[in-house]
Amino acid sequence: MKKLLVTIAVVLLITTIAAGPRLVGEGKELGDETANSNVPRATALLPNRDGALRQLSRLQSDNPIEHVVFIVKENRSYDHYFGRYPRGDGATSGEISTGRTIPLVRAPDFQRPDLGHTFGAGVVAVNGGAMNGFDLIRNGETLEGYSSFTRDGIPNYWAYADNFVLGDRTFASMYGPTFPEHLYMVGAQSGGAASNKFGPDGTILDAATNNPGGYCDDPAEFVRAFRNLDAEDRATIMRAEENANESVIKSFWKLVRACFDFKVLPDSLNEAGVSWRYYDKNGSWFNALLAIKHIRYSKYWGPNVVPPERFLTDVQQGRLPAVSWVMPGTNKNEHPAVSSVCAGENWTVRHINALMRSEYWESTAIVITWDDFGGFFDHVPPPHYDYMGLGPRVPLLVISPWARRGYIDHTTYEFSSVLKFIETLHDLPPLTARDRRADDMFGAFDFTHRPDFDARKLILKQRDCSKA
């Protein structure tokens, strides 16, 4: 860290102390047993709100975070992965639609069957905030969605939570499902899309059918999307969502090509001269940029949109860009009925270990999240920002030598918060109202002192998945 950064940090710290007490975040670090895990729904006011860390972030030449790696996994709720984690706001039981409360059973490594996680399923599961409709969605009657992992089931994810930051108030950007959620991860909107793609015969084309990507390349692929809405329409839809009335919501949908052309964060990065790569297969079902026309048919397709296998090569060969989106691929993304959780966790460990051993560790922030709730129970009602959501909670891990140690972050985040973090780092304008209002995630970090970079490395062993 350069001398200028240290000097400004000291001045800002002295100024803040002189100004008197300030409201701090509703977070809890290791050793702090006074914080209440039953946090209020309002967004917590974290230290970044006093402006000091924000000013530090705008010192472009001295900013400690030079690389952001955004890893996206599939279809798990917070309570499903971390409901039993001892310091977060988790649950070990849940209410079903009859009003009966049942215990969350121990989750299996390989989940069958796949549970409903469409837009409508999210609305039904949330049930206006009652959080008791998870047994009413597709395959929900099996009660397979009322399950949660122990430390033995996902020991390395829990180890990351022990040593870095676990967000327990991160929500999916919309009620579901995967494809439009991934659009939020690049554009802070879905273009109104509210479904996964389907073919001309009405067959849903998703990860469970292992259908290859097409989107802008295939004129026969469609999605359901909200038609143009006025203020009265939006209010009607939000009332229907509060009452879990799917039929009213669907009456506002229309069919559109699975190809859009709204501005995405890579456009802003290009304009600012900030390097980026989106690591996913060209024909991947999860490749959101395959559905952004002006990216798909541009000079960036190939140099910037590359296979996921390139990520480790780029790290090892000193070619990591400033911003990376990394999609693990179908067999490593932990999608129920498709991927082993153990195999997916091993993929994560291999990639995190590579970053920690690389020249980039000192200047990198890694954000890991799961793209929707996957039909699994969660007990915390999501904020109702607009007619798209938010959806049920998902896990969030922030890993960096600059991340707070063993910190439970109670700040309300959604996928647009990751975009806001990147925008703040590079002084970029927001794309939509969503990333404009989102928290910038700086409360998950401690930039007040230089960390011991070697001590913050957590090199973990991959597991034998035959025993999972």
Side-chain angles (χ1 to χ4, degrees):
M1 194 64 57
K2 295 182 180 180
K3 184 176 181 180
L4 175 61
L5 179 61
V6 176
T7 302
I8 293 176
V10 172
V11 171
L12 288 171
L13 181 60
I14 293 172
T15 302
T16 303
I17 294 172
R22 57 183 169 86
L23 186 61
V24 298
E26 297 180 62
K28 179 166 60 172
E29 298 197 46
L30 287 174
D32 177 6
E33 301 302 329
T34 62
N36 187 348
S37 64
N38 297 315
V39 297
R41 292 181 63 186
T43 300
L45 185 61
L46 284 154
N48 58 298
R49 289 292 174 250
D50 68 7
L53 297 184
R54 188 183 302 278
Q55 291 179 49
L56 287 176
S57 76
R58 292 174 189 247
L59 295 171
Q60 303 300 317
S61 62
D62 293 304
N63 199 303
I65 302 299
E66 299 174 2
H67 305 274
V68 178
V69 177
F70 188 10
I71 296 174
V72 184
K73 294 301 191 92
E74 288 287 315
N75 298 22
R76 305 285 173 168
S77 73
Y78 178 91
D79 277 342
H80 180 59
Y81 265 19
F82 290 99
R84 299 177 189 271
Y85 188 75
R87 297 182 298 110
D89 183 7
T92 57
S93 63
E95 184 179 323
I96 62 176
S97 59
T98 63
R100 182 165 63 97
T101 298
I102 61 174
L104 302 187
V105 299
R106 185 166 181 162
D109 176 68
F110 193 92
Q111 170 69 39
R112 284 195 187 92
D114 192 21
L115 303 169
H117 50 279
T118 62
F119 190 98
V123 171
V124 168
V126 170
N127 193 19
M131 309 306 289
N132 61 1
F134 294 83
D135 60 320
L136 300 178
I137 60 181
R138 177 172 55 88
N139 293 324
E141 73 280 359
T142 66
L143 301 183
E144 298 282 347
Y146 287 80
S147 64
S148 64
F149 279 88
T150 62
R151 185 179 290 272
D152 288 343
I154 45 174
N156 291 326
Y157 284 142
W158 281 36
Y160 289 138
D162 292 340
N163 289 274
F164 298 101
V165 175
L166 171 65
D168 71 354
R169 288 194 62 80
T170 300
F171 299 88
S173 291
M174 53 187 289
Y175 290 102
T178 287
F179 168 62
E181 300 277 16
H182 280 248
L183 289 174
Y184 267 94
M185 294 174 187
V186 294
Q189 64 162 305
S190 72
S195 79
N196 288 333
K197 64 179 182 175
F198 55 91
D201 62 353
T203 302
I204 290 289
L205 308 174
D206 61 12
T209 61
N210 199 27
N211 186 268
Y215 298 111
C216 287
D217 288 349
D218 189 345
E221 292 184 350
F222 302 89
V223 295
R224 295 183 176 90
F226 284 98
R227 58 175 169 80
N228 292 334
L229 304 171
D230 59 27
E232 184 177 349
D233 293 335
R234 292 192 290 272
T236 298
I237 295 168
M238 291 188 71
R239 285 194 297 271
E241 289 166 351
E242 290 293 334
N243 294 311
N245 191 330
E246 281 190 89
S247 61
V248 170
I249 297 167
K250 291 179 179 180
S251 70
F252 289 91
W253 288 352
K254 63 179 180 179
L255 298 182
V256 301
R257 280 270 326 269
C259 183
F260 301 87
D261 215 15
F262 52 79
K263 186 173 183 177
V264 291
L265 186 57
D267 294 318
S268 300
L269 296 171
N270 288 336
E271 293 165 3
V274 178
S275 61
W276 64 274
R277 277 206 174 113
Y278 187 95
Y279 295 86
D280 200 359
K281 292 181 180 179
N282 186 10
S284 168
W285 188 89
F286 306 95
N287 194 327
L289 292 185
L290 192 57
I292 303 298
K293 186 176 182 179
H294 67 271
I295 296 290
R296 172 63 187 96
Y297 304 116
S298 74
K299 65 181 181 180
Y300 301 106
W301 199 266
N304 295 75
V305 183
V306 298
E309 295 78 17
R310 275 281 301 276
F311 181 77
L312 287 180
T313 301
D314 284 349
V315 170
Q316 293 161 359
Q317 295 184 356
R319 297 174 182 171
L320 185 68
V323 179
S324 303
W325 287 263
V326 188
M327 311 299 151
T330 301
N331 294 325
K332 308 297 183 183
N333 61 16
E334 298 157 43
H335 192 296
V338 175
S339 174
S340 154
V341 170
C342 175
E345 186 188 54
N346 280 349
W347 180 97
T348 304
V349 167
R350 184 166 66 255
H351 286 68
I352 301 303
N353 284 353
L355 282 165
M356 289 181 175
R357 289 176 170 133
S358 76
E359 64 187 274
Y360 298 111
W361 172 238
E362 297 184 8
S363 60
T364 295
I366 306 160
V367 180
I368 307 172
T369 192
W370 285 253
D371 69 3
D372 68 49
F373 74 112
F376 295 102
F377 173 78
D378 193 83
H379 79 284
V380 176
H384 202 176
Y385 280 1
D386 52 42
Y387 63 91
M388 299 301 287
L390 303 176
R393 274 193 315 173
V394 294
L396 176 84
L397 292 165
V398 180
I399 300 170
S400 172
W402 299 94
R404 292 174 180 266
R405 185 184 296 274
Y407 184 68
I408 306 299
D409 194 341
H410 302 313
T411 312
T412 298
Y413 297 133
E414 52 128 332
F415 303 141
S416 300
S417 301
V418 185
L419 303 191
K420 180 65 167 286
F421 176 60
I422 297 167
E423 290 162 353
T424 304
L425 285 173
H426 298 287
D427 200 20
L428 303 175
L431 296 164
T432 71
R434 277 296 194 88
D435 54 334
R436 181 178 296 111
R437 76 177 292 176
D439 189 279
D440 60 21
M441 300 187 69
F442 271 65
F445 298 87
D446 180 3
F447 296 126
T448 60
H449 67 278
R450 183 181 178 87
D452 183 332
F453 296 109
D454 286 334
R456 300 253 28 212
K457 292 179 181 178
L458 182 67
I459 306 299
L460 298 175
K461 293 182 179 180
Q462 296 182 50
R463 293 192 287 147
D464 179 356
C465 292
S466 67
K467 300 178 181 179

